[in-house]
Amino acid sequence: MVDPVLASRLQFAWTTAIHIIFPTITMGLAPFLVYWTWKEVRGDGEVYARLRRFWTKIFALTFVTGTVTGIVLEFEFGTNFASYATQVGGIFGGPLATEGLMAFFLESTMLGIFLFGRERVSDRAFLGSAFLVALGSWLSAVWILIANAWMQTPAGFKMSERAGEQVAVLTDPVAAYLTPRFFYMFTHMQTAAVLSAALFIAGIASYKLLTTDDRSAFWMKTMKVALVAMIITAPLLAVHGDAYGRHIHDTQESKMAAIEATWETGGYAPLYLVAAPTSTDNVVAPAEEDLFTVGIPWGASMLAGAGDPSTVITGFEDIEHDLPPYLLVFYSFRAMVGLGFWFIFLALWGVYRWRQGSLLDDTLLQKAMVASTGLGVLAVEFGWMVAEIGRQPWAIYGELLVSDSVSPGLTGGEAMLTLIGFVGGYLLLFGTWSYLVYRLVRSGPAAPESESTASSEEVSVQ
Amino acid sequence: MMPLALSESYLFGLPLVEIWFVVMFLTLAMFLWLDGSNFGIGVLFGLVDDEEIEESMLAAVAPLWDGTEVWLIVFGGAMFAVFPDVYAGLFSGNYMLMFLILGALIIRGVSPEFREQRHDETWQRVFGGLFVAGSVLAPFFLGMFTANWLVGSTDLFTVPGIVVGLAVVALATVEGAAFTNMKIEQPTGEITTYGTLAQVAYLVLAVTTVAYLYLFVAGMATKVMSEFSLALVGLTAVLGVAYIVMLRSGQALYAFVMAGVQTFGLVALVGYLLYPTIYPITGLTAQKAAVSELAMNLMTVVLAIFLPLVLMYFAVLYNAFRGPVQVGEGY
């Protein structure tokens, strides 16, 4: 029989992994849409209206897919993790309800106006709707990450009885909701979302430059704004990613040990580039002699201690509870960081070519951009795996185990059935979304107005 | 004294638990009215043959759906935040039903957007069909969920579940018919007929539900026969007749409002029949199920600030798209 805990964990992991693709893109695209809308209503040229319209189509498709996949996550806390909901709902549910009230309503009502209201509202109101959509999507991230940060570094509560059960009761809202972890998570996630969207945009623009002879202002403007975003966000991610890593060292020792695959507690810990168990018996719970590693001496300690090689890292040997599946955490972390360095390189390369005036001639750069279209989102996935798998076996770090969070009456058969349904359903959704985005890209933006029907209104602007 | 505590857990002389009990059902009612009318349009989409009207119906829903669906998310969120035991019990107890609801909502959510992306016939037929299926199944399963909640059942198929499920589909169709007639240039007899039939069906199903509760559900008889619930049933019948008259005389906006009041009446009846119990399976009362005072105070402050804003967004949205829809509008 299938274990309902494992099936529920896999289901939540899978539905989150697919869901996160869409909000990452929409949160990242939103500021670009505000910019293009602003240029459009200012009358800075017809190309901005076309840019806004083309990217809005992709945004709308992505938003709707993100919405339907996101509702599932909120409900899964009740269906699959009812014990979790009972025990910590009094703290964890608040940010989720607040997200709906404060952020999601704003985003989704204003989106109706932004998508369908160009002819119905004034320019200023239209620009306002674009801004409020962006604001709403970012506020959503605030509340989701407040909730998640509390799971990582819980604070501001005490255990108490309600209806015959021990439950977490809020005692200090500021401590619970404004954890230091939230600030690291939010800056890292939002910067990553903008970078992911920039890579997505640049990849699509490069694809069009490579495969068509369209050398119009449209794709050049697209490339340039994406490059500006990349050159700002890619290095920034490395800077606060480094600080975030030190914060993990200070607050979550088992996650830190998994990130670095550290066996022995102590200073001068090496930064491993390769870690592998020598037998399948210790994939989850390693023993010292079974861990094959290749590493840079002192590296992990220096990163954890901002350059101080004597910084102590707690090793697996001294961790009392079960370990997270450390290999997944270890390699996800390296994949994320590796991609991060690639993005910095790509941004520098692109900006260098731009300054040289040869952005259009470098087909190798364009091919690299096309190959990187989805890599930003992939890096976000790896980052989430580090955060969420690294938190295992805890649902609330140090307080509540995932195995004690699952719904008491849930059977393995039920959990397996819905898992299969979600794997199939979400693959279909993702496939259809990808196919439709590809179709939108292939057909490209609408032709400039001046080429089809010259509009007197357009000409008279400014 | 906690930093954010309102006096003794009371606001305007009402205990916070009761306020949140009402708020939770209000969000459900808003969902069933606003998104319900979108579901109803989906139901009618499957019944109407005229392509022009079909396109008008889709165009009427398109700007609104994203916003209206959030009422369900906030309903779930409010229950999670203030009555987590109820949220946990209902959602895990109705495990398979919840996934049917989610599946229907997913299909309903994406299919109109996907349908617009390609203009060949097969593609449009497939996603048009999925739009109809999702629009019928989502209110049906939500009705089943509500009935299970009320009678304290976790079975997938029960008599009250199916009757209430059908009633909610009928009510959605009632709302959808009024909304469609509001939004098309020339209200049609066809839509009016469907609206009338759906209203009659809703009244029959609603009375059947109440009779079933009276006869077969232990402990309900007294409450069902109370003045309050009989008044609600009577009001629904009067509104139903008024709806038909309004729809037939071309006053679609008033018909839409009547259907809205009927929706709030239905949800009020559910809340009234439950209270003070909030989770009949264990007999848990709202008072016992509520989270700590501090958490509830905090949520009340959030609500007091944002609920008026939310209502304003909806006013702005519905105002921007008032009047008959123009097909082909949009991005």
CSV table of all heavy atoms in Angstrom, one decimal, chain A residues 177 255 346:
chain,number,residue,atom,x,y,z
A,177,TYR,N,5.3,37.3,11.8
A,177,TYR,CA,5.1,37.6,10.4
A,177,TYR,C,6.3,38.4,9.8
A,177,TYR,O,6.5,38.3,8.6
A,177,TYR,CB,3.8,38.3,10.2
A,177,TYR,CG,2.6,37.4,10.5
A,177,TYR,CD1,1.5,37.9,11.2
A,177,TYR,CD2,2.6,36.1,10.2
A,177,TYR,CE1,0.4,37.1,11.6
A,177,TYR,CE2,1.6,35.2,10.6
A,177,TYR,CZ,0.5,35.8,11.2
A,177,TYR,OH,-0.6,34.9,11.6
A,255,LYS,N,19.5,22.2,7.3
A,255,LYS,CA,19.5,22.6,5.9
A,255,LYS,C,20.9,23.0,5.4
A,255,LYS,O,21.3,22.6,4.3
A,255,LYS,CB,18.5,23.8,5.7
A,255,LYS,CG,18.4,24.3,4.2
A,255,LYS,CD,17.5,25.5,4.1
A,255,LYS,CE,16.1,25.1,4.1
A,255,LYS,NZ,15.2,26.3,4.0
A,346,LEU,N,25.9,35.9,-19.1
A,346,LEU,CA,25.1,36.2,-20.2
A,346,LEU,C,24.7,37.7,-20.3
A,346,LEU,O,24.7,38.3,-21.3
A,346,LEU,CB,23.8,35.4,-20.1
A,346,LEU,CG,23.0,35.1,-21.3
A,346,LEU,CD1,23.8,34.3,-22.4
A,346,LEU,CD2,21.8,34.2,-20.9
